[in-house]
Amino acid sequence: MDRNITETDLISYFYNECDNQIAAHIKSNLDYNPQWIDFLNDLQKVADLMKPTINPHATSVQIILEESLYEENHSI
Amino acid sequence: MIADGVLIKRYLEGNQAAFEALVKRHKTRIYSSVLAIVNDHYLAEDIFQETFIKAIHSIRQGKYNHEDKFLPWALRIARNLAIDLIRQKKRLPMVITSDGQDLFQTLNIFDKSQEEIHIETDEISMLKSWIHQLPEEQKEVLILRNYAELSFKEIAEITNTNINTCIGRMHYAIINLRKMMEKSSVKIKY
């Protein structure tokens, strides 16, 4: 690696969107860089608390499905 | 798993179950993202419905040409609707109650499910409040990357920016959330 790893590299690494060479470098040097681990832990913490878990009300889904039927019946 | 593009093709051929599968697949990510953006259950339900209704019309008019990228496409519709509604809401005069609260916010008669109540821990509530203190563009990237699980490339396309800008915004969001966490008495556990 001919440059330092930045926090934006760590963000890309965390979300598996990193260049392979940079990802390999981060992985092999993680143990020697506690500040990287801290930053990755913060990303993990935020990701864990922002999981998509809330569903729309069943009525909303029903309205959508009825609309999809209505369109079908009237466009043929 | 059947690809989104295949489900849409089957729906156009008259297979209603294919459309139901598409809704079932994406409803949680779309609704969670919209709710995080507007922070209001009523608006989120309206935007969620309107998003799919617009999607249905476009699909049936043969305007859908995004192959298996239904989610980013639907989220672009949802995002535009959310921006429009937030702008409209900002133009409306705010009705303040005697204790200084926005009447619209205090009329919270939306029934949360038991499951939702259990999920609403202090940590999640705190994080939500911190996220809503972030600048809009930082909040948006955080929501679309985590709740919607879009890639930075997909977020860049939706927000008409580029990947580096999106990652930069995410970086600032994390820096700001760190500062808020440090100031707060509520500590987020690992």
Side-chain angles (χ1 to χ4, degrees), chain B residues 40-51:
Chain B
D40 180 295
H41 281 286
Y42 288 115
L43 281 180
E45 294 286 343
D46 282 350
I47 292 168
F48 176 77
Q49 288 174 25
E50 193 62 29
T51 298

Side-chain angles (χ1 to χ4, degrees), chain B:
Chain B
M1 189 174 76
I2 302 168
D4 288 352
V6 174
L7 289 175
I8 288 166
K9 188 169 174 283
R10 288 183 185 172
Y11 170 60
L12 283 170
E13 288 165 356
N15 183 343
Q16 181 63 21
F19 189 77
E20 286 188 38
L22 197 67
V23 174
K24 192 177 174 189
R25 181 178 294 171
H26 296 297
K27 67 177 181 179
T28 310
R29 280 188 284 182
I30 292 175
Y31 184 75
S32 294
S33 304
V34 170
L35 180 61
I37 291 169
V38 298
N39 198 27
D40 180 295
H41 281 286
Y42 288 115
L43 281 180
E45 294 286 343
D46 282 350
I47 292 168
F48 176 77
Q49 288 174 25
E50 193 62 29
T51 298
F52 270 96
I53 287 168
K54 276 182 178 277
I56 289 164
H57 291 180
S58 292
I59 289 168
R60 294 211 58 87
Q61 288 165 9
K63 291 179 183 171
Y64 181 83
N65 56 359
H66 303 270
E67 299 289 330
D68 298 330
K69 297 280 186 183
F70 178 81
L71 182 65
W73 178 67
L75 278 163
R76 183 193 283 269
I77 297 172
R79 175 184 181 264
N80 291 340
L81 288 169
I83 290 169
D84 287 348
L85 275 171
I86 289 168
R87 280 181 187 150
Q88 279 173 25
K89 199 180 162 192
K90 279 181 180 169
R91 281 199 294 269
L92 289 173
M94 196 185 284
V95 181
I96 304 293
T97 60
S98 56
D99 57 353
Q101 300 284 311
D102 175 3
L103 181 65
F104 188 73
Q105 291 298 329
T106 55
L107 290 174
N108 189 14
I109 52 172
F110 179 88
D111 294 326
K112 288 182 177 177
S113 67
Q114 284 302 311
E115 185 190 12
E116 201 179 335
I117 290 165
H118 284 301
I119 292 167
E120 289 261 332
T121 62
D122 276 354
E123 291 178 357
I124 294 177
S125 301
M126 282 308 297
L127 184 70
K128 276 182 186 171
S129 77
W130 292 333
I131 288 168
H132 282 281
Q133 292 171 47
L134 293 173
E136 285 299 322
E137 66 274 12
Q138 292 173 26
K139 185 171 80 173
E140 187 170 59
V141 174
L142 204 60
I143 289 168
L144 292 175
R145 192 63 191 80
N146 288 299
Y147 282 124
E149 298 173 345
L150 296 184
S151 68
F152 287 115
K153 184 173 182 285
E154 289 168 331
I155 297 169
E157 285 166 4
I158 287 178
T159 56
N160 298 319
T161 54
N162 59 55
I163 295 174
N164 288 338
T165 300
C166 289
I167 296 175
R169 286 174 179 176
M170 171 69 94
H171 186 210
Y172 281 112
I174 297 297
I175 289 170
N176 285 328
L177 286 175
R178 265 182 157 178
K179 285 179 191 165
M180 292 181 214
M181 280 181 207
E182 283 163 12
K183 280 184 193 167
S184 167
S185 57
V186 175
K187 298 296 172 202
I188 308 290
K189 295 183 208 98
Y190 287 107

Side-chain angles (χ1 to χ4, degrees), chain A residues 7-18 23 26 36-37 39-48 51, chain B residues 145-146 152 170 174:
Chain A
E7 289 188 335
T8 54
D9 290 325
L10 293 172
I11 290 171
S12 300
Y13 172 77
F14 178 80
Y15 288 107
N16 295 318
E17 295 189 32
C18 197
I26 292 172
W36 294 1
I37 296 173
F39 189 76
L40 291 170
N41 279 339
D42 281 344
L43 288 170
Q44 186 64 57
K45 205 161 32 176
V46 170
D48 285 346
K51 290 201 182 300
Chain B
R145 192 63 191 80
N146 288 299
F152 287 115
M170 171 69 94
I174 297 297

